[in-house]
Structure formats: structure tokens, C-alpha cells
Amino acid sequence: MKIGCMLESFAIDLKEAVKRAAALGCEGIQAYAVSGELAPWNITDAAVKEWLDRVKSHGMVFSAICGDLISTPDAISHGFESRQANPILIEKSKRILDLAKRLECNVVTTHIGTVPDEENETKKIMREACRELALYADSIGSYFAVETGPETAVVLRDFLDSLGAKGVRVNYDPANLVMVKNDDPVAGVYTLRDYIVHTHAKDGIQVSADPLKWEELPLGKGGVNWDGYLKALNKIGFGGFLTIERECGDTPEADIKLAAEFLRERLAALGIA
């Protein structure tokens, strides 16, 4: 397993964040491509080459590109739940997949909204959108990876099984499962074993279920059983990235450094390469 980090987690200029990530010994970085200079509708061919050269010159790769359109200020829908909004969101998602390939990366992570437990019209609409994206990702040899959390691992697996294509996979975030659904992230690895292509290294706790409140915490300080989780990933043969994501806190770079050290320590203690 390889350690990466989300550039935006540093809360500084992205180019400087690349240097900081390399200094912490990260092997890969993830960056948002939904707005600003890295969005496919803004970036030039020359800028793509500059970014690729910059990351490679620091001995790293893009572990994934974030295509989470529901996190942008001008989001027109919560995920792929609106038949009216989906054509625009699908087209933008395809362009982000194309950009990722240009950056020599095969994984785009995203949130698709909340998959309903029961079959209904919203679930049908989401399935149609995700199937189209799965087929497109398949056609270019990439993965559109849904981040865990809004629904349980079982509900997400059954939804993905129903798509009839493998291009939509999973960006596994153990903290989201704990914080939002109080779901077991260790068991979830086995449930979603056929779909996991990228992970976020994050931790937290659920403060209350009704109303839903959670707290993100530094790695090892929350509800994720890291030894059990890393063992499970190893057992299913996952050899991809553990990409550190820190979404709060006053000292993000220090937290990222501690997270990288924590992961290396636990991997070494468990004998996982």
C-alpha cells in the first residue's frame, strides 16, 4: 500500500502543497478538478503538462482526481438524483475522467448522492446516470469511484452490482462510514472488496444519530479500527493508495505529517508492505 495526500488538505497554494506532500514522503497526491485552474474546462494542454511534470519531478503520481461536483459552489444538484440536472453533471464527469487520463491517472473520486435503501424513482435515476458513467469509464480504462458514507456498504454494493458495468467503483473512506452511518468499516472492506480502487485515510466519530452529528479527528483518535481495517485491505489484495484527507483542524500540515507517520507505523507493525 502507498501513502498519498489530498492537496487541498494543506489549505495553501496547490503548487506549494505538492512540495510539502513530497517532503512528507508521500508517493501520490489527489487534487480537485471541479473548479479553478485544474478543472478540465479551464486548464490548457500546456498547464496539464506543467502539472504532470511538477508531480513527477517530486517523485510522485496522481493517486486520484476528485470530481465531486456536489461540493462546488454552483452545484445544481445533490449528486445524480435529478433527471433534469444529470445530463450536465454526466458530461462534466466524463470530461474530468478524460482529464485524469491526461494526468496519467485512472481514478476519479466523487459523491453521487445518497443511494436509497429501497427501490424507487430516485434510485432508478441514479442507476441510469451511474451506468452511463460506468460504461464510459470502461471504454477509456478508468474508474469513477464513489466515496463511501452516505449509505451502508451493503446498500452501495447492491447498487453497484445492479449497474451491469464495472467502470463505477469505490473510493473507500472508513471515517465516513463511521461518522454518517455508524457502519463497520472493517466488515465493509469485505462487502465492497470487488470495487475498492482507492481509499481516503481519515478518522472520526458519530456524535449523534438524530440529529446526525459527527466529528472528524486525527488518524487513530476516532472510531476506525485501523489495525483491523488495514489487515482487511491487505487480505483482499488491495495495493493502492491510502490518501490522507484532513477536512478540519487548525494545523493541517502537522496533522497530515502525523497521519503519514501513523500509517507507516501501523503498516510496519502489521508486516504489510
Side-chain angles (χ1 to χ4, degrees), residues 69 76-77 79-80 85-94 133:
L69 292 166
I76 55 177
S77 173
F80 296 94
N86 278 354
I88 295 173
L89 296 176
I90 290 169
E91 183 61 25
K92 284 188 172 184
S93 296
K94 289 178 179 179
L133 285 165

Side-chain angles (χ1 to χ4, degrees), residues 23-36:
L24 294 179
C26 292
E27 298 171 79
I29 56 99
Q30 181 178 8
Y32 276 78
V34 296
S35 62

Side-chain angles (χ1 to χ4, degrees), residues 132-178:
E132 181 174 344
L133 285 165
L135 291 170
Y136 185 76
D138 276 343
S139 74
I140 64 170
S142 291
Y143 304 116
F144 196 60
V146 179
E147 188 162 329
T148 53
E151 59 287 308
T152 65
V154 170
V155 169
L156 180 57
R157 180 203 59 200
D158 291 347
F159 177 76
L160 296 177
D161 284 348
S162 75
L163 297 182
K166 293 294 186 180
V168 170
R169 298 288 185 101
V170 166
N171 175 48
Y172 201 95
D173 189 318
N176 285 354
L177 288 168
V178 170

Side-chain angles (χ1 to χ4, degrees), residues 97-188:
L97 282 160
D98 291 340
L99 172 63
K101 292 292 285 190
R102 293 162 66 196
L103 292 169
E104 300 182 5
C105 176
N106 294 329
V107 179
V108 171
T109 70
T110 191
H111 286 272
I112 61 171
T114 301
V115 179
D117 292 349
E118 304 297 330
E119 192 65 37
N120 58 25
E121 186 63 19
T122 296
K123 196 169 189 175
K124 179 180 178 182
I125 291 168
M126 294 175 72
R127 182 180 293 113
E128 290 171 355
C130 287
R131 176 170 169 76
E132 181 174 344
L133 285 165
L135 291 170
Y136 185 76
D138 276 343
S139 74
I140 64 170
S142 291
Y143 304 116
F144 196 60
V146 179
E147 188 162 329
T148 53
E151 59 287 308
T152 65
V154 170
V155 169
L156 180 57
R157 180 203 59 200
D158 291 347
F159 177 76
L160 296 177
D161 284 348
S162 75
L163 297 182
K166 293 294 186 180
V168 170
R169 298 288 185 101
V170 166
N171 175 48
Y172 201 95
D173 189 318
N176 285 354
L177 288 168
V178 170
M179 295 188 297
V180 180
K181 299 304 293 185
N182 199 25
D183 200 12
D184 180 0
V186 177

